[in-house]
Amino acid sequence: MHVRPGETVNFTIHNGLHTVTAFHSKFSEPPFFTLPDRVPTSNGFTSPPMSVDDSWLYRFTKQGVYDILCLPHLELGMVMRIVVSGDDNVPDDPYGPLPIPNAGAVLGAPELTPENIVNEGSVPWAISRSEISLCSNDESTVTRSHDWSSL
């Protein structure tokens, strides 16, 4: 998904138990998994565990590429990429391949390059439906629906 700096994304859960968690080393759980830093901020972020009809807001203020995961479903490849940039500027993808099976395959897909995300606005994946609403600085809301899947 492409958002502009200062926009707030509303993550709404439609089924199951999920989190919205930045790829950041502070959320690692050795020896089970170690997360690389894949957000352009020094601090990671995470929602609390959420279930049906719960939602969580996050304001993206810094430009760059944000790789985000669901903690309970990381091994299944439940990840997403948000590209934050003004105008139609495309930030570089500074991360390289992700050495986590399934999640690495999804984030490595050509559809999820920053350039494609900026050009398309959002990229749908098919498995379970998740609704995301964008709240701009003037509090107007644009709703986008997405289908997610692992590769």
Side-chain angles (χ1 to χ4, degrees), residues 77-147:
M78 188 171 279
V79 295
M80 70 179 297
R81 174 169 281 174
I82 295 181
V83 178
V84 179
S85 67
D87 301 322
D88 288 327
N89 296 327
V90 178
D92 292 328
D93 181 353
Y95 308 125
L98 178 64
I100 300 172
N102 294 333
V106 172
L107 291 174
E111 294 85 357
L112 292 184
T113 63
E115 181 177 22
N116 191 57
I117 291 170
V118 169
N119 289 338
E120 296 294 324
S122 64
V123 179
W125 293 88
I127 193 168
S128 65
R129 189 176 174 125
S130 177
E131 182 179 284
I132 297 174
S133 301
L134 290 178
C135 305
S136 66
N137 290 334
D138 66 0
E139 298 305 315
S140 61
T141 300
V142 177
T143 300
R144 299 180 184 170
S145 293
H146 294 278
D147 292 327

Side-chain angles (χ1 to χ4, degrees), residues 8-32:
T8 299
V9 177
N10 181 17
F11 298 88
T12 301
I13 305 304
H14 293 284
N15 57 48
L17 179 72
H18 304 283
T19 67
V20 177
T21 304
F23 269 91
H24 194 278
S25 56
K26 75 179 185 180
F27 301 117
S28 295
E29 191 64 42
F32 304 109

Side-chain angles (χ1 to χ4, degrees), residues 9 11 19-27 35 37-48 56-62 65-71 80-82 84 95:
V9 177
F11 298 88
T19 67
V20 177
T21 304
F23 269 91
H24 194 278
S25 56
K26 75 179 185 180
F27 301 117
L35 295 175
D37 293 338
R38 292 176 70 100
V39 292
T41 60
S42 59
N43 295 315
F45 55 84
T46 189
S47 70
W56 184 73
L57 299 171
Y58 186 80
R59 182 170 300 223
F60 291 87
T61 57
K62 186 168 183 170
V65 177
Y66 292 74
D67 287 346
I68 299 171
L69 62 107
C70 173
L71 280 171
M80 70 179 297
R81 174 169 281 174
I82 295 181
V84 179
Y95 308 125

